[in-house]
Each structure stands twice: as C-alpha cells, then as structure tokens.
Amino acid sequence: MTGRSAVPEVIWARPERAGRGPRAAFSRADIAAAAVRIADADGLDAVSMRHVATELGCGTMSLYNYVPRKEDLYELMVDAISGEHGSWEPSGDWRADMLRVAHQTRALMHRHPWLPRLMSPVYGFSPNALRYLEHCLVCLDPLDASYGTKMELIAMLNGVVTTYVGNELATAERTRSLPWSAEQEQAMRIAYLGSRIATGAYPRMAAAFTQDAGPIDLEAVFERALGRVLDAFEPKG
C-alpha cells in the first residue's frame, strides 16, 4: 500500500501526508474524528480504512497517504479520546486528584465503549496521551515517591478502571442480547446458588453469604478497588 513501511515507525514522527501532490485535504484530527464516529455508532469492528475513507469522501488508497496502517488509525483514535480528558488545576490532594482522573477515565470509556479494547502502552506516547500523563504527574507532585513509582501508580489505576469498565460493558452487552431481564436472570441464579450452598458442601461459601447476603454495591466495589491501589502507594512511616 502507498506509504506503508516494512520497519517500525511512529506515526507522530511522520509528516501529516506522505508523497507529493496537492495540499493535504484532511488533517489527522479529521481522520481520527471520522474513525471515532464510526466506532461510536457501530463498534470497533466497523472501523476499516475503506469505511473511514467513505466517511471522509475520499478513496481508500488516498487515505494510506495519511495513515499507512490500520494500527496507526487506532493510535489516532486513542489520541483523540485522550484529548477529552482535558486539564484542570490539581487540588494538592494527590489521592483526590487521582480518583478524579480515574472517574474521568471511566466516563470516557462509557462514552466510547470500544476504547478498552485499544488500551495499550504502545499508544501511550501520542501527543494527547503525553499531556494526560504530564497532568497526572502534576497531580502526583505532593506524593513523596520517584517518578518511576508514580508512573506505576498511573498504570495500575488505569488497569483497574479498564478492567472494571470492560466487565461493565460486557455485562451490559450480554444483557441486551438475552430474551429476559437482568433481574430475572439474577433471581434464577441466586436460587440455584442457594440450593447448592444448602447441601453443606461449601461451608465457607455459606459463611460468606451469611455474613453478607448482598446485593453487591458495584459502585462501592469500584471505589474500594481504586482506594486499595492508592493505599499501596501511601508513604510508610
């Protein structure tokens, strides 16, 4: 394909458009926005070079002058969404600020349900991702720790949010595909589980359910998961 390379390269180090000819008709932001619209409407699997080219009103081969690989297109998409984080003045309380970042990330992933599938450290150094990381490090200025430790904290917090939201989205998608309600299925499964616990074969499980019969507060679970990550980075002593 035009513009493709047999060696690794970073799209951000390339000119906006490869080859000679008329001035570029599109910017990377235009291309990313078109791909994001497609993914938001029809899912990540609907994103293709052909589909994006159609959305932009150009030929597929022309698009390769701007984006040599589909992986680069994904990177443009992740960068575009990273720009939605925005920036705000940290409060001076690093825990509160990182919790705010985590909730912001969760909201982004729910606005763009395809995003968890593309979360990769490979895409972590695009222009908007670098701004996001710098902002997180500013939020962490009050924390007495090395920058390596702070980067680890950011990565772990993002990992918890990505995993949690991925489960939320998968559960919602499964529920939409079923001919019964989530409440009906939950009632059926709880009844079955109760019948198994009642056999006496699972005494520790029986004790656990006696101690806390539920229902599980998933929002509280999310908050505790974030808090436990942050607890691990609290200075000792």
Side-chain angles (χ1 to χ4, degrees):
M1 300 291 183
T2 304
R4 287 179 69 92
S5 172
V7 297
E9 58 182 358
V10 178
I11 190 169
W12 311 107
R14 290 170 51 92
E16 285 256 345
R17 179 179 180 276
R20 300 177 181 178
R23 192 164 59 114
F26 310 107
S27 68
R28 284 182 181 145
D30 295 330
I31 296 167
V36 166
R37 285 196 299 273
I38 293 167
D40 284 349
D42 301 314
L44 186 62
D45 292 337
V47 176
S48 66
M49 299 297 274
R50 183 188 300 275
H51 199 165
V52 172
T54 300
E55 179 80 8
L56 291 169
C58 70
T60 304
M61 294 305 295
S62 298
L63 189 59
Y64 281 104
N65 286 318
Y66 300 86
V67 186
R69 304 176 306 158
K70 190 173 183 180
E71 292 78 9
D72 294 320
L73 183 60
Y74 288 159
E75 187 158 358
L76 293 182
M77 294 169 68
V78 173
D79 181 67
I81 302 308
S82 296
E84 293 184 21
H85 272 284
S87 187
W88 31 269
E89 190 65 30
S91 69
D93 180 337
W94 67 268
R95 287 184 66 107
D97 289 338
M98 292 312 295
L99 285 172
R100 180 176 177 180
V101 168
H103 282 282
Q104 194 174 45
T105 301
R106 185 186 182 194
L108 277 179
M109 290 182 175
H110 276 285
R111 283 204 301 274
H112 308 285
W114 47 269
L115 186 59
R117 286 179 58 185
L118 292 186
M119 292 303 287
S120 164
V122 173
Y123 300 148
F125 301 100
S126 65
N128 283 324
L130 287 173
R131 293 185 190 99
Y132 161 77
L133 287 171
E134 181 69 17
H135 178 69
C136 288
L137 290 173
V138 172
C139 290
L140 290 171
D141 273 347
L143 176 62
D144 184 15
S146 69
Y147 280 114
T149 298
K150 292 176 181 181
M151 291 293 284
E152 185 178 337
L153 185 159
I154 296 166
M156 289 181 68
L157 207 61
N158 277 336
V160 168
V161 175
T162 301
T163 300
Y164 194 90
V165 174
N167 287 336
E168 286 182 314
L169 295 172
T171 299
E173 180 63 28
R174 180 180 182 277
T175 298
R176 282 192 294 270
S177 69
L178 296 175
W180 50 74
S181 70
E183 291 74 20
Q184 287 174 309
E185 179 167 18
Q186 183 181 34
M188 176 270 296
R189 292 187 177 277
I190 288 175
Y192 172 78
L193 180 59
S195 72
R196 297 299 87 206
I197 297 295
T199 65
Y202 310 99
R204 289 169 184 79
M205 291 290 292
F209 282 107
T210 299
Q211 195 174 79
D212 187 359
I216 298 172
D217 184 341
L218 295 178
E219 291 300 315
V221 170
F222 180 64
E223 294 295 338
R224 284 197 297 272
L226 298 179
R228 284 166 179 161
V229 171
L230 298 180
D231 286 346
F233 291 90
E234 282 280 9
K236 303 298 189 291

